[in-house]
Amino acid sequence: MSFSLPKNVPRFENPQRELEDGYWGSSGISRIQNGHTGNGISGKLDAFLDKRQLPMYKDKPYNYSASRKNIGWYQRKRTFVAAILGVLGLVYWLGIFSSAGKVAPVGGLGAASWTWGSTSGSSKVDWDDRRQKVKEAFVLSWDGYEKHAWGFDEYHPISKRGTQMTPKGMGWIIIDALDTLMVMNLTSRLSHAREWISTSLDYDQDQNVNTFETTIRMLGGLLSAHYLSTTFPDMAPVADSAHGAPGEDLYLEKAADLADRILGAFDSDSGVPYPSMNLKDIKGVPSHVYGGASSTAEAASLQLELKYIAMLTGEKNYWERAERVIQVIDDNGMEDGLVPIFIYPGNGQFRGSIIRLGSRGDSYYEYLIKQYLQTSKQEPIYLELWNQALAGIQKHLVAYTAHSHFTIIGERPSGLASPLSPKMDHLVCFMPGTIALAVTNGLTVEQAKKLGNWSQKEDDEMKLAIELTKTCWGMYKVMATGLAPEISFFEIDDPPHMQADGILASAEIKSEDDAPWRTDYTIKHQDSHNLQRPETVESLFYMWRITGDTMYREWGWEIFTSFLKYSATEDGSGFTSLSNANEIPPKMRDNMESFWLAETLKYLYLLFSPVDLLPLDSIVINTEAHIFPRFELTRGLKTGWKRKPRDSQGKLIKEEKRKKGAGKKGSKSDGGNRKDVVKNDVLTKTRQELKTVQVIATRADQNEEQKPSSAWSDT
């Protein structure tokens, strides 16, 4: 299908822009009020304080007030009123009316200009106003990218430049942010993005790309845009002449093209996808590290996207390739449902024995319960897998800190029999929200309890979600900037107190610098960077929707204001990740992550939105915060595999049966016995060799993990 250029998209380099600016100038509305033409940080941040509506071509298609040039008495007194407001604002800023002893907030880069983000003394919070502030932060970020790096995959807001990840670019930022533009109703910016997708996006490039990241961000972004644009036409509505209008499948067409290319990564002997694939050749590319193994989380976090496009197109191949991966993983029969973080595409066997829910392990578990919810609970096999894994996590990984008894999810670097490491990636903070989602299936706790099947299990799992959220919140409170580190370590007893030893009550997190709870957190210098990650605010969103406790909204607001204080660039060109979030002023990294727009700001926006915006019991959200619908199994789609028999620990039992059968066969003659002895000697030697190789592989993996992660890596 061919697509013509939209007729109504404002182009910033077009002469038409001068006419538009002239029109708004004649209406008496200053262009600077919207932050698009003001120079420097002051011009940008003045826009945040401006409560007037944006002009229509600045993403406000509805209810824009008419020109005010005919309003007589107000216009004549406008300057006088503005002067009074300015004096009152100065008085307030100087703190003349503030209570005694009130401490001013610690300043960061541009902090004085961000005082609008502080909470007033009023007990009533205007959540709609806070939601608007998040939207304005998104607009500031997007406009900086649009001005300085449009069409580039990466944006560096300090140096004001973009870089590409492929020869012609993949629309990394544009596509990742599509559904955020829709949810925030940013119409003209969405039109500009759609125009780029129609005229510039081309996946026929000779470039190796990461299979997982391309799937969750690009395929996920396109599919989410298709879903929202077709199901919620009032979200950033488009004109009939624009791309993506009813009857046109711009997003789905691009998604299908990309999905066909992604399938090349699945052409391995086992069906486990290679970690990379070539867009043009449509072939998988083995890893050059970890002995050629793929990340388990990456291989097992492509299912929501491929299953949804299978439902949309009727192409079963997407579905079958996706579910085959989970079958291969499960056929390994790992103890208590906990899987190592690397798997070989060649034979479908695991490499090493590192068990963790941080990088390379996280979203495997997330996608188990979300696959169950995606198909409207019609595939109970995924609920079984989730329940087994969560029980294993509680048994082997959930522990308590030594002093304040915070709940953590640790790691087993050398398998479940090895000592627990009290290391917790910020990535693990997706888990409390996911646990709560699994408990209620997206309903509120009150609604779920009325269904009549609530038990002690659900109570315990909700308590676990609550305590884990608190621990993640502490990662922010313990830092100088109020922004979490990439990794936290915790003080635990030796041996550690595990959840299996009894649930402990945690201490209150207080703001004092010498509060005792802080001693349970250890932040190493090399782990103190902040990458604008979304996992904690993601869980805050789920916890607010499911429990109704406004505490989670307040925590989200505090995190948001910390981002404003310390990650905004000096001249208002966007927000950046930080090299060290534990010093003031923090050192900036000059990189705005695409998930800042796709996830972090979206989750904050939804956290402050009414609960009827995208109800949790009707959608499922992928690991990049892209929104898909729940659907029924139709068009011949069904679960195409069954679990192998296993014991109570999750280990396969077929090996025991094989041994019994071999014993009976060997007892027929002495020759049979001799053959069995030889076979057993070979098997014993082989097992010893494999064990040695596994230990070496685990040590090699741990050494590799110390290296800086790839720019592609989100897990």
Side-chain angles (χ1 to χ4, degrees):
M1 181 183 296
S2 62
F3 296 90
S4 60
L5 190 66
K7 298 178 181 179
N8 62 341
V9 179
R11 299 292 299 273
F12 295 104
E13 72 277 11
N14 195 301
Q16 176 189 355
R17 180 61 184 267
E18 296 181 6
L19 298 177
E20 291 173 327
D21 289 343
Y23 169 76
W24 294 110
S26 66
S27 69
I29 303 174
S30 170
R31 297 184 326 168
I32 293 179
Q33 72 181 53
N34 299 308
H36 290 280
T37 59
N39 294 323
I41 189 70
S42 60
K44 290 287 184 183
L45 300 184
D46 284 343
F48 286 91
L49 293 167
D50 194 339
K51 298 297 182 183
R52 292 174 292 183
Q53 291 182 312
L54 296 163
M56 281 189 289
Y57 81 104
K58 298 294 186 185
D59 310 306
K60 286 288 182 178
Y62 301 120
N63 301 323
Y64 184 76
S65 57
S67 171
R68 293 178 292 176
K69 62 183 177 182
N70 296 322
I71 303 177
W73 71 270
Y74 175 82
Q75 195 160 3
R76 288 193 299 270
K77 296 185 178 181
R78 184 170 55 195
T79 303
F80 176 70
V81 173
I84 293 177
L85 292 176
V87 171
L88 290 175
L90 180 62
V91 169
Y92 176 80
W93 184 77
L94 291 174
I96 295 175
F97 297 140
S98 61
S99 58
K102 185 175 181 179
V103 181
V106 178
L109 291 176
S113 301
W114 292 101
T115 53
W116 62 267
S118 59
T119 304
S120 67
S122 172
S123 59
K124 184 175 177 60
V125 175
D126 187 344
W127 291 108
D128 188 62
D129 180 66
R130 290 186 172 185
R131 176 173 70 152
Q132 184 65 22
K133 300 304 183 191
V134 175
K135 179 176 179 177
E136 289 165 349
F138 177 92
V139 168
L140 185 74
S141 304
W142 179 268
D143 287 353
Y145 166 71
E146 189 175 49
K147 180 178 180 181
H148 301 295
W150 183 248
F152 284 91
D153 294 323
E154 297 176 309
Y155 175 43
H156 311 287
I158 297 177
S159 56
K160 299 182 182 61
R161 62 186 178 86
T163 53
Q164 295 288 33
M165 302 169 77
T166 64
K168 294 184 285 187
M170 295 183 66
W172 205 249
I173 291 176
I174 294 173
I175 294 174
D176 216 8
L178 277 176
D179 54 1
T180 311
L181 290 166
M182 293 178 177
V183 170
M184 294 184 178
N185 201 26
L186 296 169
T187 308
S188 71
R189 291 170 175 84
L190 178 63
S191 294
H192 193 198
R194 259 200 325 273
E195 176 196 348
W196 185 91
I197 293 171
S198 176
T199 60
S200 301
L201 181 60
D202 180 10
Y203 290 123
D204 193 28
Q205 304 181 52
D206 187 11
Q207 177 70 40
N208 295 342
V209 297
N210 181 277
T211 306
F212 164 74
E213 300 287 359
T214 302
T215 301
I216 65 167
R217 301 195 198 200
M218 299 297 94
L219 182 59
L222 290 166
L223 291 174
S224 180
H226 169 79
Y227 167 60
L228 295 181
S229 64
T230 54
T231 309
F232 303 97
D234 290 336
M235 284 187 179
V238 299
D240 290 338
S241 59
H243 296 299
E248 292 189 313
D249 291 327
L250 172 62
Y251 302 130
L252 186 55
E253 179 183 297
K254 294 292 186 181
D257 176 32
L258 180 57
D260 288 341
R261 298 172 190 275
I262 289 172
L263 285 187
F266 289 77
D267 289 334
S268 67
D269 290 342
S270 70
V272 172
Y274 292 105
S276 300
M277 50 95 181
N278 187 280
L279 287 170
K280 189 176 184 66
D281 294 342
I282 315 181
K283 292 182 179 179
V285 180
S287 173
H288 298 298
V289 293
Y290 308 120
S294 296
S295 158
T296 304
E298 293 186 2
S301 303
L302 316 170
Q303 285 64 31
L304 295 182
E305 297 78 8
L306 291 176
K307 284 186 168 184
Y308 181 35
I309 196 169
M311 191 278 291
L312 290 172
T313 63
E315 294 290 339
K316 295 182 182 179
N317 192 30
Y318 298 133
W319 185 283
E320 293 166 353
R321 293 294 191 96
E323 69 173 5
R324 170 64 180 165
V325 179
I326 307 302
Q327 179 183 5
V328 171
I329 289 174
D330 191 56
D331 282 352
N332 279 274
M334 300 307 296
E335 182 179 350
D336 292 327
L338 302 181
V339 298
I341 63 172
F342 293 106
I343 186 169
Y344 290 111
N347 59 16
Q349 301 297 307
F350 288 113
R351 170 187 168 90
S353 54
I354 301 173
I355 304 290
R356 69 179 182 217
L357 267 69
S359 63
R360 307 184 186 281
D362 50 359
S363 48
Y364 162 74
Y365 303 95
E366 175 189 358
Y367 270 36
L368 293 179
I369 188 62
K370 288 185 176 180
Q371 285 183 83
Y372 172 66
L373 297 177
Q374 182 183 38
T375 51
S376 302
K377 299 185 281 189
Q378 293 179 323
E379 295 187 280
I381 192 170
Y382 296 107
L383 178 61
E384 181 183 339
L385 288 166
W386 163 262
N387 283 332
Q388 182 186 9
L390 181 57
I393 291 166
Q394 292 173 285
K395 177 181 177 181
H396 298 286
L397 302 181
V398 175
Y400 298 91
T401 61
H403 307 108
S404 296
H405 301 157
F406 294 128
T407 303
I408 68 168
I409 296 180
E411 301 179 356
R412 298 282 182 177
S414 300
L416 295 181
S418 68
L420 182 78
S421 168
K423 169 179 172 285
M424 190 166 159
D425 295 356
H426 185 271
L427 288 165
V428 180
C429 289
F430 83 93
M431 194 60 180
T434 303
I435 293 173
L437 175 66
V439 171
T440 70
N441 295 332
L443 300 174
T444 65
V445 170
E446 183 179 3
Q447 291 170 331
K449 286 184 175 180
K450 290 180 180 178
L451 297 178
N453 54 3
W454 193 273
S455 67
Q456 187 63 45
K457 174 180 179 293
E458 283 73 27
D459 253 347
D460 290 343
E461 289 176 4
M462 277 305 305
K463 290 176 182 176
L464 176 61
I466 289 169
E467 288 300 322
L468 286 172
T469 306
K470 183 177 182 180
T471 302
C472 291
W473 165 236
M475 291 182 183
Y476 288 78
K477 295 293 289 182
V478 78
M479 299 293 283
T481 62
L483 296 174
E486 182 72 357
I487 298 171
S488 297
F489 285 82
F490 295 88
E491 294 295 322
I492 59 174
D493 293 323
D494 185 14
H497 187 102
M498 306 296 293
Q499 180 175 315
D501 300 324
I503 297 175
L504 301 179
S506 61
E508 181 182 354
I509 295 180
K510 298 182 178 181
S511 298
E512 289 82 359
D513 290 341
D514 59 349
W517 66 266
R518 294 178 182 272
T519 61
D520 276 352
Y521 287 80
T522 299
I523 311 301
K524 299 181 180 180
H525 179 76
Q526 66 268 26
D527 302 327
S528 63
H529 51 287
N530 178 279
L531 300 181
Q532 306 171 296
R533 286 203 184 276
E535 289 77 23
T536 294
V537 294
E538 171 186 351
S539 282
L540 294 178
F541 162 66
Y542 280 111
M543 296 301 290
W544 152 245
R545 286 285 185 94
I546 290 169
T547 69
D549 192 335
T550 57
M551 170 183 69
Y552 298 115
R553 295 179 115 183
E554 292 291 356
W555 289 358
W557 178 249
E558 190 166 332
I559 290 172
F560 176 62
T561 55
S562 293
F563 276 122
L564 299 182
K565 287 181 182 179
Y566 298 109
S567 69
T569 60
E570 192 71 48
D571 58 358
S573 57
F575 295 81
T576 179
S577 51
L578 306 176
S579 295
N580 187 347
N582 211 20
E583 62 182 13
I584 297 176
K587 183 180 179 182
M588 295 185 166
R589 299 184 74 144
D590 192 20
N591 189 59
M592 190 176 79
E593 300 287 349
S594 74
F595 50 73
W596 166 250
L597 302 176
E599 298 187 75
T600 307
L601 290 178
K602 182 190 295 161
Y603 278 125
L604 285 167
Y605 184 82
L606 292 173
L607 176 63
F608 304 146
S609 295
V611 295
D612 59 356
L613 176 60
L614 300 172
L616 284 181
D617 60 349
S618 64
I619 61 172
V620 63
I621 305 175
N622 87 338
T623 197
E624 187 72 9
H626 294 311
I627 303 157
F628 303 154
R630 300 190 188 187
F631 56 83
E632 303 281 336
L633 288 176
T634 57
R635 311 183 77 170
L637 301 176
K638 61 181 180 180
T639 308
W641 67 286
K642 295 181 180 179
R643 303 189 75 192
K644 292 181 177 180
R646 61 199 68 221
D647 60 22
S648 59
Q649 291 184 323
K651 297 179 179 179
L652 299 181
I653 61 177
K654 66 176 185 178
E655 183 68 23
E656 182 180 352
K657 291 182 178 180
R658 184 184 294 119
K659 287 181 180 179
K660 289 181 179 179
K664 292 178 181 179
K665 184 177 181 180
S667 62
K668 292 181 180 179
S669 67
D670 291 340
N673 288 332
R674 284 193 297 270
K675 290 179 180 178
D676 286 343
V677 170
V678 173
K679 287 180 180 178
N680 287 334
D681 287 343
V682 172
L683 286 172
T684 300
K685 183 177 181 181
T686 301
R687 289 193 184 105
Q688 291 173 344
E689 291 173 346
L690 286 173
K691 187 174 182 180
T692 302
V693 170
Q694 196 170 45
V695 170
I696 294 172
T698 299
R699 291 173 179 171
D701 293 342
Q702 291 170 350
N703 290 335
E704 287 287 347
E705 286 296 304
Q706 302 303 315
K707 298 178 181 179
S709 60
S710 166
W712 286 91
S713 179
D714 186 40
T715 63

